[in-house]
Amino acid sequence: MTSKAVRRVQSGSPWEETFGFARAVAAGDRVLVAGTTAFKGHVLYGEGDPYEQAKTAFADALEAIAEFGLGPEAVVLTRMYLTHSRDVDEVGRAHKELFDSVRPVSTLLVVEGFVDPRILVEIELEAYRGAVDS
């Protein structure tokens, strides 16, 4: 088995520089993505719409794992953080559209808030880039 070096990917989020973090980190066979919201640069997409924010955040998270040659089928875990329980169905709908055939383990949490009060959803995911059992 060959060792894979730790590699980091930045997305351009304004908070990456401010707080000193990466969008995604690959370490061995794991690729971790965290802190993914519907912000692209300083623009929030889907303001007031949890479904659109979830779709945008998942797209950004999947774009990050694509830097490592992975797609949705490699995702083994997702975490969704919401500010309102009323948004569970809409965020779940966005999740199902992307991962229905993949079926990663998943956690959905309602939290008090985010750095910007317009953010309704934050996404984390973990992908596996090792050998696939047949």
Side-chain angles (χ1 to χ4, degrees):
M1 179 170 159
T2 60
S3 173
K4 296 178 179 87
V6 173
R7 185 172 151 223
R8 292 166 176 79
V9 169
Q10 302 298 136
S11 72
S13 160
W15 294 294
E16 288 174 358
E17 276 306 308
T18 303
F19 300 142
F21 71 92
R23 170 65 57 231
V25 175
D29 287 333
R30 298 172 70 195
V31 178
L32 307 165
V33 181
T36 309
T37 67
F39 266 99
K40 291 181 179 277
H42 293 282
V43 177
L44 176 65
Y45 287 80
E47 187 168 345
D49 186 335
Y51 172 76
E52 287 301 323
Q53 284 196 22
K55 280 182 33 177
T56 301
F58 276 124
D60 287 352
L62 291 171
E63 186 177 301
I65 68 168
E67 293 285 326
F68 302 99
L70 302 174
E73 69 286 346
V75 174
V76 295
L77 177 142
T78 60
R79 284 188 197 95
M80 296 158 281
Y81 300 91
L82 316 177
T83 55
H84 301 286
S85 59
R86 68 173 183 245
D87 297 336
V88 167
D89 290 339
E90 288 301 292
V91 173
R93 179 167 63 106
H95 186 277
K96 183 174 177 147
E97 287 174 3
L98 290 166
F99 300 110
D100 193 29
S101 65
V102 177
R103 300 290 172 120
V105 296
S106 186
T107 298
L108 189 145
L109 301 162
V110 177
V111 299
E112 188 164 325
F114 298 112
V115 172
D116 184 308
R118 298 172 298 160
I119 298 171
L120 302 174
V121 180
E122 186 170 314
I123 301 297
E124 294 181 356
L125 61 79
E126 182 173 337
Y128 179 70
R129 63 181 181 167
V132 176
D133 293 334
S134 43

